[in-house]
Amino acid sequence: MNNNSNIGVFDSGVGGTTVLKEILKVLPHENILYYGDSGNAPYGQKSTEEIQKLCCRILDFFIANNCKAVVVACNTATAAALDKLKNTYSIPIIGVISAGVKGALKVTKNNRINILATPFTVDSNAYIKELRKHFKSFKITQEGCPEFCPMIEIGWETHPDRYDILKSHISHLSQEADTLILGCTHYPIIKNDIERFFSGNIVDPARETALELYSLLRLNDLLNTSSKKGKVEFFVTGDKKLFKKIAEQFLEFEIKNIYQIDK
């Protein structure tokens, strides 16, 4: 492993491209392997043990492909497996939940925070535990959304009832909260629609995650010193064509290096 080694970024599907997009802005010279495990999605409806097993399989893939650091670009996987991954593997690994909390702390004025996430992330209380580390008196309302990830993976705009479902979930959140954390990396893809029903601060953990990655690489003297633009390769366990279509729409560039792998 050296400065020119790869960075591994993974998610249960296309959602982690929201984190990838920010990483490419902050670290344009890094070589990145993106692993979209859409063939095993949705993670939010699996057990902790199942998610940990899938995550370890992905880490093994990254290790075998010369990765110097890994970003768990999935809130559900962060909640279920980050501690286990850190205890199992020696390379630097970061998740997205602490980044989401940092973003919320920067913008909330009344310490009332809403969280939209997968049911697994909500049930884990991972965001509540992280927020309580900073301030005990946050008033937090969470809403688990089992439909969103599958709908986004297929193509959000293809669902005629998407606004009704979105409005229903947001109606369960606090009307007093001034901040909403997008507690799933898929959700920034539909941020414009979320803004139709929530007018406060909307926190996307992606930017903070990218900055945390930069700090981690610098601390470990692992920043790529090349002046050339880095290479990005995609590995997908599900429908490669569908992943490519949705990812390109969000990333706003053509994906050329994409490979189908076994789930």
Side-chain angles (χ1 to χ4, degrees):
M1 185 175 68
N2 55 48
N3 298 70
N4 296 324
S5 298
N6 301 310
I7 295 170
V9 179
F10 79 90
D11 178 54
S12 62
V14 74
T17 58
T18 60
V19 178
L20 173 63
K21 190 172 187 177
E22 294 301 321
I23 291 173
L24 293 174
K25 295 176 185 176
V26 175
L27 295 161
H29 306 301
E30 297 291 342
N31 299 307
I32 299 173
L33 306 183
Y34 182 95
Y35 191 115
D37 197 16
S38 48
N40 290 301
Y43 278 14
Q45 296 177 24
K46 297 184 183 299
S47 68
T48 299
E49 292 73 20
E50 288 173 323
I51 297 167
Q52 290 179 347
K53 184 177 180 181
L54 290 169
C55 291
C56 286
R57 183 172 180 267
I58 294 169
L59 261 290
D60 289 341
F61 174 87
F62 285 148
I63 296 295
N65 284 276
N66 193 34
C67 285
K68 62 184 178 183
V70 170
V71 179
V72 185
C74 173
N75 286 265
T76 300
T78 298
L82 182 61
D83 289 343
K84 179 177 177 61
L85 296 178
K86 286 185 172 182
N87 290 329
T88 305
Y89 299 90
S90 59
I91 65 173
I93 305 169
I94 62 171
V96 288
I97 289 175
S98 64
V101 167
K102 288 177 185 176
L105 292 173
K106 289 180 178 179
V107 297
T108 184
K109 296 295 190 293
N110 65 5
N111 295 327
R112 297 173 186 264
I113 295 173
N114 286 329
I115 300 165
L116 281 179
T118 66
F120 184 99
T121 300
V122 167
D123 291 342
S124 75
N125 286 320
Y127 270 98
I128 291 178
K129 292 172 186 174
E130 190 67 26
L131 282 162
R132 298 281 188 234
K133 291 179 184 178
H134 299 273
F135 186 57
K136 299 294 184 184
S137 299
F138 281 115
K139 292 190 176 180
I140 303 162
T141 306
Q142 302 187 100
E143 174 69 4
C145 311
E147 308 95 335
F148 287 1
C149 284
M151 290 171 71
I152 293 167
E153 287 288 328
I154 294 170
W156 176 256
E157 71 286 349
T158 66
H159 300 276
D161 58 347
R162 62 192 182 278
Y163 296 126
D164 292 335
I165 294 172
L166 181 56
K167 184 177 181 180
S168 175
H169 281 299
I170 291 181
S171 71
H172 295 150
L173 297 174
S174 169
Q175 300 301 306
E176 299 176 345
D178 69 349
T179 300
L180 169 63
I181 298 175
L182 302 182
C184 174
T185 54
H186 282 70
Y187 298 176
I189 293 174
I190 61 170
K191 184 180 177 182
N192 289 342
D193 286 341
I194 292 172
E195 288 173 337
R196 291 170 178 249
F197 305 105
F198 184 82
S199 59
N201 307 305
I202 297 181
V203 175
D204 173 3
R207 179 69 178 178
E208 291 289 342
T209 303
L211 294 173
E212 185 177 342
L213 175 61
Y214 172 83
S215 298
L216 183 70
L217 294 175
R218 185 179 61 180
L219 180 66
N220 288 278
D221 196 25
L222 287 173
L223 286 169
N224 195 317
T225 56
S226 172
S227 60
K228 296 180 180 180
K229 185 177 180 180
K231 182 179 181 181
V232 185
E233 297 178 276
F234 295 82
F235 301 84
V236 183
T237 60
D239 188 325
K240 186 175 73 171
K241 290 183 178 179
L242 184 58
F243 176 94
K244 185 175 186 293
K245 177 184 176 183
I246 297 171
E248 285 181 341
Q249 288 174 351
F250 183 76
L251 292 170
E252 299 179 307
F253 64 77
E254 182 183 359
I255 294 175
K256 296 181 180 179
N257 301 307
I258 183 167
Y259 308 96
Q260 185 82 49
I261 55 175
D262 294 336
K263 67 175 184 176

